[in-house]
Amino acid sequence: MDTKDEIRSRLPIEQVVAQYCQLKKKGRNFVALCPFHQDSNPSLLVSPDKGIAYCFACQSGGDIFSFVQKVEGVDFPEAVKILAEKAGVEIKHEKRGPTVSKDERDRLKECLVSASAFYMSSLAKNPKASAYLQSRGVKGDLKALFQVGYAPDSFSETYDQLLKAGYSKSEIVAAGLGVNREIGDGKMYDRFRDRIMFPIRDSQGTIIGFGGRTLGDSDAKYVNSPESLLYHKSSVLFGLYEAKEEIRKTRRVLLVEGYFDCIACHKAGVKNVVAVSGTALTAEHTKILRRYADDVVLCLDQDRAGELAAARAFGLLSQVGMNILSITLPAKDPDELIQKDAMLFKNIVETAPTAYITAVIDKLHERKDLQTPAGKRAISETLFPLLAALNSSVELRSFLEQAASVFSMVQSELFSDFKVWQSKEIATPVHAASSPESEADHGYSRIELAFGVALVYPELAGLLSELITEEGGEHRTLVTALQAGAEAVSALDPLLREKLGVLGLYAEEHFASWSNMLATKEMKKMITLANRDAVKKKQMDVVLALKNARTDGRKDDEATLLVQYQNLLKLGQMTER
């Protein structure tokens, strides 16, 4: 981990911005009055997930370094110094190393295995940690199956143990187990301290990271390993290794939110269960689940946040063609119910799953105002986006008929309302992102907006191959990376990564509520308009070059340019179709 990455790991973007602005929570993000222009309404959007703070009104901000550069009026090296001091990191001149070899990958895996063994031995010696797990029902075979351990309440005990085991400082940092400490004697400090430790495995059972649940008074209840050579949270599902055979056998997977939820399900005899690891469900997660199962049962927290997460999961899972079911629990989460009555939980999982949309219809039916304008608005805002995500017209008609029956509405009226809503969504998408007039508002070109759609809907990235881009240019690089996936994007030049991060933040705010059908339609429109712009620019360049060639008397160049111009005219006609 280099100096900048170490600073980022210690200073979350919201912590940095909060020193200059008053933050207000908005969903998963924060908003604040922008410090870069006269702002009366909160225009600065702060994303902890992306590590970005950006104002689309004045087009200023970026990661912690870009933000401090702008707000302090300093250059990049000075911003690094300011943030290094805040983070307690000593700035060192580092040389880029060679690409990590297979042997180095193996060393990191071995280091994580060694750490897991140490955590398990530490658990056996710590009565407080053992008693806590006992109180959560994690004991015996269950504890052994998931290799649950304990990170000592020490700044260096894990690090010292790994050094004795033969691992270097750089390997311990690269494995995500240690963090550079630039105070005192200059040694490292342990990333995980006084925490119950859950090894995170890939589908083959290899430990690639850890999740740690605090036993102390830390502000962060859970801390996960940082992104690393081995651990990519957007493509890892906790418990998949332990569950995959049962999932394959039943072709059904139960999706829960947390480590304890997942482990508790095994205690109840429900083994086909996985949890997301340190992030919300992603498109990559859904592709993994689709390889193993046909059905997914959503069993998320029974609160408003859980409802929103379920709706988001439904949209993503629909795109890979999974049958999405849901269960309602008489408790806030699976772990709580299982501690009270494990047999009841197992019975609910085995007998009570219903179609997710049916569960949403039943929830809406609890309202007493469905015949009023407010109630009809609730239907359009909650139910219609889910129906629009369906890939089957038979399913769509069936659920509309079901909703009409439950809501005591005339079927034709509900059908008509849905069609009107759908036509408005297609005709006037959020913020008219693809219209030329709106470019001045956000500063993005049509091709960049197409990239933004691909960031929110990665399954549509294949459409980017239709873009007309310069060979070897920045846009061609981005097309290649977005089509290749998250690892290719993470390997981009840091400036390009930041640019994509800001674009992704804008796209999430403006495009994330679209149905897959609408996203496909809008992306194709953006690509068509971007290609028209590209061809027109090429035509203008060739016309200018042609004039210069005629003025200079360069007959051969003039002839070549005439051919190019004729070809561009044909290409322009194709893009107008």
Side-chain angles (χ1 to χ4, degrees), residues 288-445:
I288 294 169
L289 291 174
R290 191 66 185 90
R291 290 202 295 264
Y292 293 92
D294 302 315
D295 302 341
V296 58
V297 181
L298 301 179
C299 187
L300 306 178
D301 287 358
Q302 309 290 293
D303 56 17
R304 180 56 180 162
E307 290 177 6
L308 292 173
R312 165 78 174 164
F314 178 86
L316 290 169
L317 291 161
S318 295
Q319 293 166 17
V320 293
M322 297 194 77
N323 180 36
I324 306 150
L325 307 171
S326 176
I327 56 176
T328 302
L329 303 179
K332 71 179 179 68
D333 57 36
D335 182 43
E336 182 181 275
L337 178 58
I338 291 165
Q339 303 317 319
K340 295 176 181 176
D341 193 336
M343 289 303 297
L344 174 59
F345 174 80
K346 186 176 182 182
N347 183 57
I348 290 173
V349 170
E350 291 179 348
T351 64
T354 59
Y356 173 73
I357 292 183
T358 296
V360 172
I361 291 171
D362 291 342
K363 182 75 173 177
L364 281 168
H365 187 231
E366 295 175 7
R367 296 179 61 114
K368 304 302 182 185
D369 63 346
L370 291 181
Q371 304 299 328
T372 68
K376 291 183 178 181
R377 186 166 60 251
I379 293 173
S380 66
E381 291 176 350
T382 304
L383 181 60
F384 288 174
L386 302 177
L387 296 175
L390 294 171
N391 296 316
S392 164
S393 57
V394 174
E395 274 190 299
L396 172 61
R397 178 165 289 276
S398 174
F399 283 123
L400 278 168
E401 289 174 352
Q402 182 184 126
S405 175
V406 171
F407 300 155
S408 299
M409 292 181 173
V410 177
Q411 285 188 18
S412 59
E413 289 182 2
L414 187 61
F415 278 44
S416 177
D417 287 347
F418 174 70
K419 291 298 182 184
V420 169
W421 174 89
Q422 195 174 40
S423 65
K424 286 181 178 178
E425 284 291 296
I426 294 174
T428 56
V430 180
H431 291 273
S434 62
S435 65
E437 293 79 15
S438 65
E439 183 172 336
D441 296 331
H442 50 65
Y444 289 119
S445 65

Side-chain angles (χ1 to χ4, degrees), residues 47-154:
S47 169
D49 290 345
K50 290 183 166 53
I52 287 172
Y54 201 81
C55 175
F56 292 99
C58 67
Q59 299 167 24
S60 295
D63 66 4
I64 57 174
F65 302 104
S66 297
F67 180 83
V68 169
Q69 271 186 268
K70 180 75 174 179
V71 79
E72 295 280 9
V74 297
D75 60 12
F76 181 76
E78 186 62 27
V80 173
K81 288 180 184 178
I82 292 171
L83 289 167
E85 185 175 347
K86 291 178 185 292
V89 173
E90 181 183 350
I91 298 176
K92 296 180 179 179
H93 297 288
E94 297 168 337
K95 295 181 179 178
R96 290 184 177 271
T99 302
V100 179
S101 68
K102 180 178 181 297
D103 288 343
E104 288 172 294
R105 283 179 177 270
D106 290 341
R107 286 287 293 173
L108 296 187
K109 292 175 184 177
E110 291 165 7
C111 182
L112 290 167
V113 170
S114 183
S116 180
F118 172 67
Y119 292 145
M120 286 190 287
S121 68
S122 297
L123 175 61
K125 300 172 187 175
N126 190 286
K128 181 181 75 169
S130 297
Y132 175 78
L133 283 175
Q134 186 85 4
S135 72
R136 300 293 297 261
V138 181
K139 46 192 172 182
D141 293 344
L142 200 59
K143 187 164 60 178
L145 174 64
F146 286 91
Q147 296 185 359
V148 183
Y150 169 71
D153 188 8
S154 164

Side-chain angles (χ1 to χ4, degrees), residues 470-499:
E470 293 289 343
E471 187 70 40
E474 179 181 296
H475 288 161
R476 180 67 61 83
T477 299
L478 291 176
V479 167
T480 302
L482 288 168
Q483 290 183 323
E487 286 195 40
V489 170
S490 66
L492 289 170
D493 175 85
L495 290 177
L496 272 183
R497 283 205 311 272
E498 182 179 347
K499 182 182 290 188

